[in-house]
Amino acid sequence: MEIYYDSIRFLNKEIYFMASEKGLTYVGVDKKQIQHATLDPKQTMKYKEEIVAYLNGELNEFSLATDVNGTALQLEVFEALKTIPYGETRTYTEIAAQIKRPKAVRAVGAAIGKNPVLIVIPCHRVIGKNGKLTGYRDGLELKEALLALEKTV
């Protein structure tokens, strides 16, 4: 299956996104992720348009399909993340409770850290129980900027 990529600049960072024929497979700053993908702005245009609209504050809900893999727990967590409304946050404890695994807070945190499609699957909306920003695969600066964009910080 062919994977295509493109990128955009945000916060002086290059954000790469990749897609298969089924949907987005990756969004993030790790350039190594795109090494086996083909640069094709035409194939990725609809993804770029929505991500840019979101980053410009013009879009608050994505219609983009995703094509992600993971363990059963990871996929369950990713689905829970998609239910967090724009401009709101949830704690890791709340996500664990939502998926009916209240004692699995650490496992939920680990699953969130494996989210391959940042921004679109909004793991940036998950914060610590004390209200503080905690871990983000591509750095707390980006997490803070995304939350500020949504006016939740």
Side-chain angles (χ1 to χ4, degrees):
M1 175 173 13
E2 189 72 31
I3 302 290
Y4 303 100
Y5 83 92
D6 199 354
S7 66
I8 56 173
R9 298 277 307 160
F10 182 71
L11 289 182
N12 294 319
K13 293 179 188 249
E14 201 70 23
I15 297 178
Y16 301 96
F17 52 96
M18 298 187 319
S20 70
E21 62 190 29
K22 296 178 186 176
L24 275 176
T25 60
Y26 177 79
V27 176
V29 300
D30 184 1
K31 189 173 185 172
K32 286 183 249 165
Q33 295 294 322
I34 64 167
Q35 64 188 357
H36 298 294
T38 302
L39 176 62
D40 192 333
K42 195 178 287 186
Q43 291 288 335
T44 58
M45 184 181 304
K46 66 182 176 184
Y47 302 105
K48 185 173 193 167
E49 287 173 351
E50 280 204 25
I51 293 168
V52 167
Y54 167 81
L55 294 173
N56 287 336
E58 301 162 357
L59 179 78
N60 60 18
E61 191 172 324
F62 290 101
S63 65
L64 302 173
T66 57
D67 181 13
V68 297
N69 297 306
T71 66
L73 175 66
Q74 288 168 346
L75 295 175
E76 201 173 351
V77 169
F78 299 160
E79 287 304 311
L81 295 174
K82 291 178 187 178
T83 69
I84 305 171
Y86 181 92
E88 295 185 22
T89 58
R90 299 289 184 273
T91 65
Y92 295 91
T93 303
E94 289 171 323
I95 298 297
Q98 180 178 339
I99 66 168
K100 305 202 180 348
R101 298 178 191 224
K103 295 185 192 295
V105 176
R106 286 180 189 250
V108 164
I112 290 170
K114 298 289 186 185
N115 174 13
V117 186
L118 300 185
I119 302 170
V120 177
I121 297 178
C123 56
H124 61 278
R125 296 180 187 153
V126 181
I127 60 173
K129 153 166 86 168
N130 60 4
K132 300 218 186 247
L133 298 186
T134 58
Y136 194 62
R137 183 186 77 217
D138 286 348
L140 287 179
E141 176 190 17
L142 181 57
K143 181 173 187 167
E144 189 171 25
L146 295 172
L147 290 172
L149 175 74
E150 297 183 14
K151 306 208 180 353
T152 59
V153 171

Short mmCIF file of all heavy atoms in Angstrom, two decimals, residues 76 95-103:
data_model
loop_
_atom_site.label_atom_id
_atom_site.label_comp_id
_atom_site.label_asym_id
_atom_site.label_seq_id
_atom_site.Cartn_x
_atom_site.Cartn_y
_atom_site.Cartn_z
N GLU A 76 -8.93 1.57 21.61
CA GLU A 76 -10.02 1.99 22.49
C GLU A 76 -9.74 3.40 23.03
O GLU A 76 -10.62 4.26 23.07
CB GLU A 76 -10.13 0.98 23.64
CG GLU A 76 -11.43 0.96 24.34
CD GLU A 76 -11.51 -0.19 25.36
OE1 GLU A 76 -10.62 -1.08 25.40
OE2 GLU A 76 -12.47 -0.18 26.13
N ILE A 95 -10.20 9.45 31.17
CA ILE A 95 -10.16 8.59 29.97
C ILE A 95 -10.21 7.13 30.40
O ILE A 95 -10.94 6.32 29.81
CB ILE A 95 -8.92 8.88 29.09
CG1 ILE A 95 -8.95 10.31 28.57
CG2 ILE A 95 -8.81 7.87 27.95
CD1 ILE A 95 -10.11 10.65 27.65
N ALA A 96 -9.45 6.77 31.43
CA ALA A 96 -9.47 5.38 31.93
C ALA A 96 -10.88 4.99 32.37
O ALA A 96 -11.35 3.89 32.08
CB ALA A 96 -8.47 5.23 33.07
N ALA A 97 -11.56 5.89 33.07
CA ALA A 97 -12.93 5.61 33.50
C ALA A 97 -13.87 5.50 32.30
O ALA A 97 -14.76 4.63 32.27
CB ALA A 97 -13.41 6.70 34.45
N GLN A 98 -13.67 6.36 31.32
CA GLN A 98 -14.53 6.36 30.14
C GLN A 98 -14.48 5.02 29.40
O GLN A 98 -15.50 4.55 28.90
CB GLN A 98 -14.13 7.49 29.18
CG GLN A 98 -14.98 7.57 27.93
CD GLN A 98 -14.59 8.73 27.03
OE1 GLN A 98 -13.98 9.70 27.46
NE2 GLN A 98 -14.95 8.64 25.76
N ILE A 99 -13.30 4.42 29.35
CA ILE A 99 -13.17 3.13 28.65
C ILE A 99 -13.40 1.96 29.61
O ILE A 99 -13.12 0.81 29.27
CB ILE A 99 -11.82 3.00 27.91
CG1 ILE A 99 -10.65 2.97 28.89
CG2 ILE A 99 -11.68 4.08 26.86
CD1 ILE A 99 -9.33 2.56 28.26
N LYS A 100 -13.90 2.27 30.79
CA LYS A 100 -14.26 1.26 31.80
C LYS A 100 -13.06 0.45 32.28
O LYS A 100 -13.15 -0.74 32.53
CB LYS A 100 -15.37 0.36 31.28
CG LYS A 100 -16.59 1.16 30.84
CD LYS A 100 -17.83 0.39 30.83
CE LYS A 100 -19.07 1.14 30.40
NZ LYS A 100 -19.09 2.54 30.28
N ARG A 101 -11.93 1.14 32.42
CA ARG A 101 -10.71 0.55 32.98
C ARG A 101 -10.11 1.54 33.98
O ARG A 101 -9.01 2.05 33.79
CB ARG A 101 -9.70 0.24 31.88
CG ARG A 101 -10.19 -0.76 30.86
CD ARG A 101 -9.15 -0.95 29.79
NE ARG A 101 -9.67 -1.69 28.67
CZ ARG A 101 -9.02 -2.67 28.07
NH1 ARG A 101 -7.82 -3.02 28.49
NH2 ARG A 101 -9.53 -3.28 27.05
N PRO A 102 -10.86 1.83 35.05
CA PRO A 102 -10.45 2.90 35.97
C PRO A 102 -9.10 2.70 36.64
O PRO A 102 -8.47 3.67 37.05
CB PRO A 102 -11.58 2.95 36.99
CG PRO A 102 -12.25 1.62 36.90
CD PRO A 102 -12.08 1.16 35.48
N LYS A 103 -8.64 1.47 36.74
CA LYS A 103 -7.35 1.22 37.38
C LYS A 103 -6.19 1.23 36.38
O LYS A 103 -5.04 1.06 36.75
CB LYS A 103 -7.39 -0.12 38.11
CG LYS A 103 -8.36 -0.14 39.27
CD LYS A 103 -8.27 -1.45 40.03
CE LYS A 103 -9.36 -1.67 41.00
NZ LYS A 103 -9.48 -0.83 42.11
#
